[in-house]
Amino acid sequence: MKQGEEQEEGNHRSTLAKSATELIESLIYTSDSIRLFPARWRSIKNRLEQLNSTLSLLSEENNLELTDLLQDILSTCRETQLLAGQCHDDTYNRGNLFLRSDLNVIISKIDCHISHLERIYASGVITQTKSSALVVSKPGPGATRDEIRFFLRDLFERLKIGDSEMRIQSMCMLNEALHENEMMCMLNEALHENEMYVKIISHEEEGIDLLVNLIEFGDCGVIEQALETISTIVRYESHRNTLVIHGIISPLVKIMESGKLSSKERAASVLNKLTENCNNAWSVSAQGGINVLLKNCSDTDASRELVRLSCEILKNLNPIEEIRNFMLESNAIEILSKLVTKSNGHDETMQIRVIELLTTLSSGEEYVVELLVCVLDPSLTRYTNKTREVAAKSIEHLCFSSKSLVKKLIRSGFINHIVYHLRNCEVSMQQTMLKAACYLCRVSQEAKVLFGQLGFMSDLIRIIESKACEHEIAAEALSGMISLERNKKKFTQGDSNVARILKLLVCEEEKVKKYLLLVLVELSDSSSGRRKIGACEYVKNLESLAQNDNPEAKKILKRISGNKFMGILNGIWS
């Protein structure tokens, strides 16, 4: 064909495409207002939207077969327009059976046109898809459901038949629309509006299937963009099950096994959300996900974020006994223990997730307990206070229900770490350490001895005086420690210990007052303790309690009333 003829043919094809597009868009608009057989007209509208999207990708191509097809499409659209006008004006006079048949014929013709267009592209006759082909504009704020749906359908058609460049372009446009709309909804505090996009993607025919196929079979650029879209969808809990039903877990596991690092992290983030529902655990396990997750935890090249997410997923799966046993058989505890020892202070979030998972898997193995105690060692700067706080809570969870583990814990340096952190760390860490100290004083004489040797009783008085939120626990711990004879003697020998306790009796908290009186009861059991109490100016606080019929206060005063220096108190008992 000569150049002039080619140009004339191209102009003719452009005219046909423009006419077809204008007529299709007019029919899409008109179909909404037709009341006869509305379901069939909705079906025609859906097909016209799909036809329009596909047509926009190919209308500029130099192909004779396309010219013939455009003429057929234009002919079908004119038939549809005629039928739409008759239905709208109620002038169709052949009866409902014929009308239904005519509508079915229209649907069948449009389906054939769509298939023909897709076959032309798939055949390779068209060698290059125009990335600059007409793209439907992104719906603006306040767009209707139909406008959003039309936009998404156009993108889906491009994803189905476009080359890699067009697919990436279409996915970028989709993600851009999702993010822009999400930001707008957040500003307006109307997040439910952003869910309209997600709902349409989830409910649209082939919507989720298309994204899953892109993740499973697409190239790297397409996979990255598809994962970003899935990451948006998975934030809405009501749509997670749809993703699972359409088979998203298998490609996610494959990406975590062999994808590029950024894709692994995004896939792990999605899988973490999906496994919050433990019903999906078996799907992960069936795809070999447990081994992949443990491999990520042991991989020295894995990022901190990937390790953190892998641990969170494993923790989600842990409640299922069979999966938990499989993790243990796969040396999960050993892998996680190595992670704890090799991490540093920059890995705080990762450290915490590893320790939490290790705690749920462990049955109190001795080397795990030793590792957790080691995390509390203040000389090891690779652990943050937050990590140490989590480790202390893990020790409590694993050890405090076992007498044998408590004994090992006491002999491992744990008590020294408690005292250090109570004296030097922030409040949340102090609270955790104080609870541990109180428990140990309640169950172990050996712990009381060690705490006494470290001067811990003075620390407890300081905490009670500060009226910190845990001062009740401090008072209980002190009453437990003072019951040991050597601690009682050491406490009495302190210059101001007894006076500080008596001074604190004016506190309003009854439980704190009860524990302080128990301390004084123990002290009044010795002559040196009675002398200290009787000689203190704050004994008047004790007298006030006795006058109010407090039994412990009366008992203490009765014990010291025989002292020759306290004869003036005998009148209280007359």
Side-chain angles (χ1 to χ4, degrees):
M1 185 181 291
K2 296 180 181 180
Q3 185 174 359
E5 293 175 345
E6 287 182 358
Q7 185 174 357
E8 183 179 348
E9 177 66 24
N11 292 337
H12 177 54
R13 188 164 44 252
S14 296
T15 301
L16 289 172
K18 182 179 179 182
S19 299
T21 300
E22 289 176 351
L23 193 48
I24 289 171
E25 290 176 352
S26 174
L27 286 167
I28 289 171
Y29 176 79
T30 304
S31 61
D32 282 329
S33 60
I34 298 175
R35 296 292 174 259
L36 285 174
F37 294 102
R40 275 178 169 71
W41 279 108
R42 280 196 299 272
S43 182
I44 289 172
K45 178 185 175 183
N46 292 342
R47 284 164 168 79
L48 287 171
E49 288 174 344
Q50 186 177 354
L51 178 63
N52 199 35
S53 297
T54 310
L55 188 61
S56 68
L57 302 178
L58 307 173
S59 60
E60 296 182 14
E61 296 297 339
N62 184 18
N63 181 268
L64 290 176
E65 185 179 2
L66 182 57
T67 302
D68 295 336
L69 179 55
L70 285 170
Q71 290 175 333
D72 292 340
I73 290 172
L74 193 57
S75 175
T76 300
C77 288
R78 285 170 179 156
E79 290 179 33
T80 309
Q81 186 182 41
L82 178 62
L83 196 58
Q86 291 174 338
C87 289
H88 187 272
D89 299 336
D90 201 18
T91 57
Y92 188 90
N93 54 16
R94 298 176 62 200
N96 286 345
L97 288 177
F98 279 103
L99 178 56
R100 183 185 289 112
S101 176
D102 289 346
L103 292 173
N104 288 341
V105 170
I106 294 294
I107 290 171
S108 179
K109 284 185 177 183
I110 297 173
D111 283 340
C112 287
H113 296 328
I114 293 170
S115 298
H116 197 169
L117 281 169
E118 292 179 349
R119 181 177 58 77
I120 290 174
Y121 182 82
S123 67
V125 173
I126 295 172
T127 56
Q128 181 180 5
T129 302
K130 302 290 185 183
S131 61
S132 60
L134 179 65
V135 179
V136 176
S137 299
K138 285 181 294 184
T144 65
R145 181 182 179 85
D146 282 343
E147 289 170 335
I148 295 172
R149 189 163 165 267
F150 182 67
F151 167 72
L152 292 175
R153 281 195 164 188
D154 179 73
L155 292 182
F156 288 159
E157 288 305 314
R158 294 168 184 275
L159 291 170
K160 283 199 298 187
I161 67 174
D163 61 7
S164 179
E165 181 184 353
M166 179 171 285
R167 285 176 173 176
I168 293 174
Q169 182 188 54
S170 300
M171 288 304 309
C172 286
M173 181 170 282
L174 174 58
N175 288 321
E176 186 179 329
L178 286 169
H179 294 157
E180 285 180 3
N181 195 65
E182 187 172 35
M183 290 300 296
M184 186 68 67
C185 292
M186 288 177 67
L187 289 172
N188 296 329
E189 297 183 347
L191 291 174
H192 62 281
E193 291 183 14
N194 195 51
E195 194 176 3
M196 187 184 295
Y197 273 83
V198 176
K199 278 183 178 179
I200 295 172
I201 294 171
S202 297
H203 297 156
E204 187 66 27
E205 187 177 355
E206 298 183 345
I208 298 295
D209 281 336
L210 184 58
L211 292 172
V212 172
N213 286 334
L214 290 174
I215 290 173
E216 190 160 15
F217 303 112
D219 56 31
C220 289
V222 174
I223 289 172
E224 283 280 301
Q225 292 297 325
L227 281 171
E228 186 173 345
T229 305
I230 294 293
S231 297
T232 301
I233 295 171
V234 83
R235 287 205 289 270
Y236 298 90
E237 188 175 351
S238 58
H239 297 285
R240 292 176 189 173
N241 193 47
T242 305
L243 291 171
V244 175
I245 290 172
H246 285 265
I248 191 65
I249 287 179
S250 177
L252 290 176
V253 171
K254 288 178 183 176
I255 289 172
M256 288 186 65
E257 182 176 21
S258 57
K260 57 188 279 191
L261 180 57
S262 58
S263 297
K264 285 183 176 182
E265 290 178 353
R266 201 177 285 275
S269 178
V270 173
L271 200 58
N272 185 32
K273 291 288 186 184
L274 294 176
T275 53
E276 287 177 5
N277 180 350
C278 62
N279 292 331
N280 297 326
W282 287 112
S283 298
V284 177
S285 179
Q287 301 300 329
I290 308 301
N291 289 329
V292 172
L293 292 164
L294 289 173
K295 182 182 177 183
N296 285 338
C297 291
S298 60
D299 186 357
T300 55
D301 294 327
S303 67
R304 293 193 294 268
E305 179 67 3
L306 181 58
V307 173
R308 179 187 70 80
L309 288 167
S310 296
C311 287
E312 288 188 1
I313 297 167
L314 288 168
K315 188 179 177 184
N316 291 340
L317 306 180
N318 180 66
I320 297 178
E321 186 176 358
E322 293 85 350
I323 293 179
R324 181 177 182 276
N325 290 337
F326 182 79
M327 283 192 255
L328 293 172
E329 291 168 4
S330 302
N331 297 320
I333 290 181
E334 182 180 345
I335 291 170
L336 297 170
S337 297
K338 288 180 180 178
L339 264 178
V340 174
T341 57
K342 291 180 180 179
S343 59
N344 57 58
H346 299 295
D347 305 333
E348 180 186 89
T349 306
M350 188 198 78
Q351 287 175 343
I352 290 171
R353 295 296 175 267
V354 174
I355 291 172
E356 287 174 342
L357 177 58
L358 190 59
T359 304
T360 61
L361 286 172
S362 175
S363 300
E365 291 83 356
E366 188 170 348
Y367 72 92
V368 174
V369 175
E370 290 174 356
L371 172 64
L372 293 173
V373 172
C374 185
V375 172
L376 296 176
D377 187 343
S379 66
L380 299 178
T381 57
R382 62 176 175 268
Y383 301 114
T384 65
N385 285 339
K386 184 63 178 176
T387 302
R388 289 186 169 120
E389 184 180 343
V390 173
K393 290 178 180 177
S394 295
I395 289 171
E396 178 183 345
H397 175 79
L398 290 173
C399 301
F400 284 8
S401 59
S402 166
K403 290 182 180 180
S404 60
L405 285 176
V406 168
K407 287 182 180 179
K408 291 176 182 177
L409 196 61
I410 291 169
R411 294 166 188 172
S412 67
F414 181 53
I415 287 179
N416 296 67
H417 298 333
I418 287 177
V419 174
Y420 175 87
H421 291 301
L422 262 172
R423 291 171 177 170
N424 298 282
C425 287
E426 55 195 34
V427 174
S428 60
M429 183 65 167
Q430 289 177 344
Q431 292 173 352
T432 302
M433 294 289 98
L434 190 56
K435 288 177 182 177
C438 184
Y439 176 80
L440 292 175
C441 288
R442 197 184 302 138
V443 300
S444 170
Q445 293 292 101
E446 187 178 357
K448 293 177 185 179
V449 171
L450 291 173
F451 277 124
Q453 291 172 348
L454 293 169
F456 188 53
M457 290 182 289
S458 295
D459 296 304
L460 293 174
I461 296 177
R462 174 179 52 79
I463 293 170
I464 300 168
E465 288 174 332
S466 70
K467 295 185 179 180
C469 57
E470 300 298 339
H471 64 304
E472 181 184 318
I473 297 175
E476 182 184 356
L478 182 60
S479 67
M481 285 188 66
I482 212 73
S483 63
L484 195 69
E485 192 61 38
R486 65 170 68 187
N487 287 344
K488 189 189 306 181
K489 183 176 181 181
K490 186 172 184 177
F491 188 87
T492 306
Q493 289 172 346
D495 290 337
S496 60
N497 288 341
V498 174
R500 291 166 74 186
I501 294 295
L502 287 167
K503 186 177 180 180
L504 287 166
L505 289 178
V506 295
C507 69
E508 296 179 358
E509 292 87 345
E510 290 300 322
K511 285 190 176 180
V512 174
K513 193 181 298 181
K514 181 187 78 172
Y515 290 125
L516 294 178
L517 286 169
L518 290 176
V519 170
L520 292 170
V521 167
E522 289 289 340
L523 294 176
S524 66
D525 203 31
S526 68
S527 57
S528 59
R530 290 193 294 272
R531 282 197 300 271
K532 285 267 186 172
I533 295 170
C536 180
E537 62 177 304
Y538 297 111
V539 73
K540 60 185 178 181
N541 295 335
L542 197 61
E543 295 173 13
S544 296
L545 291 173
Q547 289 171 355
N548 290 323
D549 292 327
N550 184 287
E552 282 77 18
K554 285 184 175 183
K555 180 190 291 187
I556 297 164
L557 287 175
K558 188 173 183 179
R559 286 181 178 179
I560 65 175
S561 63
N563 190 301
K564 61 182 179 180
F565 298 108
M566 296 301 297
I568 57 173
L569 298 176
N570 286 335
I572 295 175
W573 309 104
S574 60

